[in-house]
Amino acid sequence: MIPALRFSKFKSEYLPKIIDEIAKVTSGGTPSRAKADYWNGHIPWVTTSQINFKDITAADEYITDLGLKKSSAKLFPKGTILLALYGQGITRGRVSVLEIEATTNQACAAIILESEDVNTRFTFYYLQSKYEDIRNLANDGGQKNLSGGLVKSLSVVLPSDVMEQAEVADFLTSVDNKISQLIEKHCLLKDYKKGVMQQIFSQQIRFKDDDGNTFPEWNTHELAMLSESGISNGVFNDPKKVGKGFRLINVKDMYKGDSIEYSELTLLDLEPKLFEKNKVKYGDIFFTRSSIVPTGIAFSNVNLSEKEDITFDGHLMKISPNKKLVDPLFLAYYLRSYAPRKALVSRGKQSTMTTIAQDDIKDIKLNIPALKEQQKIAQFLQSLDKKINAVNEQIEQTKLFKKGLLQQMFV
């Protein structure tokens, strides 16, 4: 038993060990919710929602000494490996390491290693590499669950040289640290973009022309007056005609990315005359007409594709920006900023769902700068998006790299 990828300086044999042979396996408990004096204490209480292949350094909830004493909850030491026995969606089978002393609920299996010949981090990464296999061991029932007995019976194949275990664990930890750093950078860039957008669209930040001169003051325009042809609805999305024909911009495309992704559009078969009437052009902006939640109403996105085979769904409204008055990319950014979103949401009509129509938004007033200042703003925000997307791509590539390591460094 030798992994496909191994540090060449190590030659020790890989041997299988049963979890029950190298660790104590137990689970936690939940103090009574009816007892107020059991909760909001100083003892961390962890649930499976926090088990996500990362270290746990704090809890979402805390219990008191009395809650610990009067329940089946147990205080586990730092270094305990937690494995989710059950939970929503993809939670079951996930593992984390406690970096604090903490209690857990009964849905967490606590694996406390008792052998000096077994490295905690190596075991954690080994179990992580076997995530899908562990999930498939779950008991059948109304909800597929793992059990303490199944966890005890799990096999861990590890090198007999504990130094090799440590080096594998340290290497994978460095990869995880890189992912964490990239995620933090991604969050900081997004926060910066959000903050700078608020300052730009409230005119706290103003751009200058190429000669260093101040642009003219911003002017107020009604939304419909910025469109070449008013505001229109799209075509009926007939389920019987899906799968071939023209590319269709749908409601779901409003919530993905900073512009509509052509390659992800579904297909809809339409009569040529109907398509020509509802044909989409570069720069067209779309709004959702209905939403389960009020804040989702009139959410917008922009088409930046030059393709000639795109139409749009009847659950959307469309404007075609008059490019002599407004830059489409600027308008797309502006419509997602605080003041326009607040104005659009306020026009929604609430019943079972929140709805909005052309007449509800046509006279929304927007403060618009000169066209050249719009273009400078759009270029600046687009450059930020490119940086954000580049970091996101780095995150995905590093995660893919780690996935390959997990597949090759363990037996």
Side-chain angles (χ1 to χ4, degrees):
M1 289 187 174
I2 300 296
L5 187 62
R6 186 183 192 186
F7 292 109
S8 59
K9 64 182 177 181
F10 294 108
K11 307 296 180 184
S12 67
E13 189 178 3
Y14 270 65
L15 300 171
K17 299 282 186 180
I18 303 301
I19 289 287
D20 197 35
E21 298 173 351
I22 58 175
K24 176 184 177 183
V25 178
T26 183
S27 61
T30 304
S32 172
R33 293 283 186 182
K35 302 287 187 179
D37 53 355
Y38 289 1
W39 294 91
N40 300 314
H42 67 283
I43 303 171
W45 185 76
V46 174
T47 66
T48 56
S49 64
Q50 290 187 256
I51 300 178
N52 60 353
F53 303 124
K54 297 178 182 177
D55 290 349
I56 295 174
T57 57
D60 295 332
E61 292 186 274
Y62 290 77
I63 63 174
T64 63
D65 289 315
L66 187 61
L68 175 60
K69 182 178 179 181
K70 296 291 186 177
S71 72
S72 57
K74 305 175 187 70
L75 188 62
F76 299 123
K78 178 181 176 180
T80 299
I81 299 171
L82 299 183
L83 188 150
L85 297 174
Y86 48 93
Q88 295 296 319
I90 59 177
T91 301
R92 185 185 76 248
R94 286 183 165 187
V95 286
S96 283
V97 177
L98 282 180
E99 280 298 307
I100 52 172
E101 284 190 333
T103 59
T104 73
N105 70 358
Q106 58 275 20
C108 304
I111 303 171
I112 306 168
L113 293 173
E114 297 180 319
S115 172
E116 294 182 357
D117 296 328
V118 181
N119 180 281
T120 297
R121 289 279 163 188
F122 181 93
T123 307
F124 162 67
Y125 283 116
Y126 183 91
L127 293 172
Q128 191 176 150
S129 76
K130 303 300 179 183
Y131 166 67
E132 293 293 345
D133 294 336
I134 292 171
R135 282 179 62 80
N136 291 334
L137 293 174
N139 297 316
D140 288 328
Q143 179 181 1
K144 285 179 175 286
N145 295 333
L146 296 164
S147 67
L150 284 172
V151 174
K152 289 179 181 180
S153 69
L154 293 175
S155 176
V156 178
V157 182
L158 68 168
S160 55
D161 187 344
V162 73
M163 295 300 292
E164 182 174 1
Q165 296 177 38
E167 187 143 348
V168 170
D170 289 346
F171 178 65
L172 290 170
T173 298
S174 70
V175 176
D176 271 341
N177 289 341
K178 177 64 174 178
I179 293 171
S180 296
Q181 290 165 5
L182 288 169
I183 290 172
E184 183 179 5
K185 183 178 180 180
H186 188 256
C187 290
L188 289 172
L189 281 170
K190 288 180 71 175
D191 287 345
Y192 172 72
K193 178 191 168 186
K194 182 179 179 180
V196 83
M197 280 180 67
Q198 290 175 346
Q199 291 179 299
I200 288 172
F201 294 125
S202 64
Q203 299 182 58
Q204 295 175 53
I205 294 177
R206 291 293 304 275
F207 287 73
K208 296 183 182 298
D209 66 21
D210 293 340
D211 296 322
N213 299 315
T214 302
F215 283 109
E217 293 301 308
W218 293 26
N219 293 316
T220 301
H221 298 265
E222 292 184 352
L223 178 61
M225 300 305 294
L226 296 173
S227 178
E228 292 178 338
S229 53
I231 305 172
S232 59
N233 291 338
V235 300
F236 172 58
N237 187 356
D238 187 345
K240 297 177 182 177
K241 296 184 177 181
V242 171
K244 63 178 183 178
F246 299 100
R247 298 276 181 168
L248 179 75
I249 296 173
N250 212 325
V251 172
K252 62 180 175 56
D253 299 305
M254 298 302 99
Y255 304 99
K256 297 192 298 186
D258 299 300
S259 63
I260 292 162
E261 178 54 55
Y262 175 82
S263 64
E264 295 183 9
L265 298 179
T266 55
L267 297 175
L268 183 68
D269 195 15
L270 288 179
E271 294 294 330
K273 286 185 179 180
L274 185 59
F275 168 72
E276 287 299 327
K277 181 182 176 182
N278 295 279
K279 187 175 180 179
V280 170
K281 300 182 296 182
Y282 171 88
D284 285 352
I285 292 175
F286 305 86
F287 302 85
T288 53
R289 292 178 55 202
S290 60
S291 174
I292 296 173
V293 293
T295 52
I297 200 67
F299 204 82
S300 60
N301 210 344
V302 62
N303 172 56
L304 298 179
S305 170
E306 301 277 3
K307 299 289 187 180
E308 297 284 330
D309 63 339
I310 309 174
T311 186
F312 69 107
D313 188 277
H315 291 93
L316 299 173
M317 296 179 286
K318 173 178 77 72
I319 66 169
S320 296
N322 181 340
K323 298 179 184 63
K324 294 179 180 179
L325 293 175
V326 64
D327 179 85
L329 187 55
F330 165 84
L331 187 57
Y333 282 121
Y334 184 36
L335 289 169
R336 286 192 171 189
S337 66
Y338 176 76
R341 284 295 304 143
K342 184 179 179 182
L344 288 163
V345 169
S346 72
R347 301 292 182 94
K349 296 180 175 68
Q350 294 186 37
S351 56
T352 306
M353 295 185 74
T354 302
T355 59
I356 204 165
Q358 291 101 313
D359 287 345
D360 298 319
I361 67 171
K362 65 181 183 181
D363 61 346
I364 291 281
K365 291 180 172 54
L366 304 172
N367 277 328
I368 303 294
L371 187 59
K372 288 189 176 179
E373 186 174 4
Q374 293 177 40
Q375 292 166 346
K376 281 187 174 288
I377 291 169
Q379 289 165 8
F380 173 73
L381 293 175
Q382 190 175 44
S383 70
L384 285 181
D385 278 335
K386 287 179 179 178
K387 290 178 182 178
I388 291 168
N389 292 336
V391 174
N392 188 62
E393 179 64 22
Q394 284 183 285
I395 292 169
E396 294 306 313
Q397 289 297 323
T398 310
K399 285 182 176 179
L400 191 62
F401 174 62
K402 179 189 170 184
K403 183 178 180 181
L405 293 175
L406 290 175
Q407 292 171 344
Q408 297 181 74
M409 297 188 80
F410 298 100
V411 178

